Amino acid sequence: MFVAPPGYQPVYSPSIPYLGPVYGGLREGSSIYIQGSIPENITRFFMNLLCGQSESSDVSLHFNPRFDGWDKVVFNSRQDGSWKSEEKIRDMPFSKGKGFEMVVMVTSKGYQIKVNGKDFHTFKHRLPVERVCGIHIAGDVSIQTINVIGVRLQGSEDFSCLLWGMGGQPVYNPPVPYSNMIPGGMSPKRTIIIRGMVPNGANRMSINFMVSRSRDVAFHMNPRVREGIVVRNSKIGGNWGQEDRELIFPPLFLRCLFAVGIRGLRCL
């Protein structure tokens, strides 16, 4: 059974309102990736980054889209029970009845918000980001995924890349290119999760699941960031097959889950 380490386990399809922890807290370089959808009859929803374990805790970031005839997004913070001055952005990055992908990136200046791959607003820090330890989401919204990337786990080194599933043992910050055997090979329901960050200016990367003896490639995954596509393929007897191309949007963060029912593979 696959069990991701705390802080790297995404939250899938949470009930709304949602109140959950951010294991290890946030820091500069951390990112929160949220995938969801907006109902047709939306009025408003909000996401709070909490400096505590309850809804009444201090709020480092209050993100509040409002569909009220004067569509806008309100940013704010709360300290000692009191809301501070609002920042109102008279623009709406969300569409009624449509899905969205939102990224909150922690920078030295503040929380940089991207929606559907486009920069929206940076909310300057008012409270120390290291105090953040929870996420609260409520209102008219449906959430498919919440994923926190780049946290610092207690008792572990800081790591930006994790490979989990090699015989149950994680591999932290491997050099790239990386090559290793998969103990016992692949089998149905076996999962390998690779987590990392795509640097600015990245062009492409590739992940190959190889048959160790023949060097055939059972699964080739090639995200091409600048083109905004993911190419998938296989190579048998030295010949590549027909490419399977899929558009990705936004091409900023890649979350890869593999469950390939083939034995004797080598991960390159």
Side-chain angles (χ1 to χ4, degrees), residues 22-88:
V22 176
Y23 293 102
L26 298 178
R27 59 183 177 83
E28 185 178 341
S30 299
S31 297
I32 301 172
Y33 174 83
I34 299 176
Q35 187 177 29
S37 59
I38 303 296
E40 289 283 357
N41 60 344
I42 182 175
T43 301
R44 62 178 62 184
F45 75 93
F46 70 81
M47 178 197 70
N48 289 340
L49 298 185
L50 301 172
C51 300
Q53 303 294 327
S54 71
E55 298 177 13
S56 60
S57 301
D58 287 350
V59 176
S60 180
L61 168 66
H62 173 69
F63 176 83
N64 179 207
R66 300 178 183 178
F67 290 77
D68 54 7
W70 299 88
D71 293 355
K72 57 186 173 290
V73 177
V74 173
F75 291 83
N76 208 340
S77 63
R78 184 177 66 200
Q79 190 170 10
D80 299 327
S82 299
W83 288 103
K84 305 305 178 181
S85 59
E86 292 184 341
E87 292 182 16
K88 296 180 181 180

Side-chain angles (χ1 to χ4, degrees), residues 220-254:
H220 168 75
M221 181 176 178
N222 176 211
R224 300 178 183 178
V225 180
R226 294 180 183 175
E227 298 177 55
I229 62 173
V230 174
V231 174
R232 291 167 292 190
N233 208 338
S234 61
K235 183 170 70 173
I236 301 175
N239 298 316
W240 288 102
Q242 184 176 354
E243 290 184 345
D244 179 5
R245 295 183 170 222
E246 179 181 358
L247 291 174
I248 55 174
F249 185 76
L252 297 174
F253 294 87
L254 303 173

Side-chain angles (χ1 to χ4, degrees), residues 1 18 36-37 62 83 85 101 108 114-115 120 170 186 189 202 218 244-245 247 254 258:
M1 179 179 178
Y18 168 79
S37 59
H62 173 69
W83 288 103
S85 59
E101 291 182 317
S108 60
K114 290 178 177 284
V115 180
F120 180 68
M186 293 298 292
K189 297 184 179 181
D244 179 5
R245 295 183 170 222
L247 291 174
L254 303 173
F258 307 110

Side-chain angles (χ1 to χ4, degrees), residues 184-197:
M186 293 298 292
S187 59
K189 297 184 179 181
R190 187 171 190 183
T191 303
I192 295 175
I193 288 185
I194 303 173
R195 297 199 185 283
M197 293 293 294

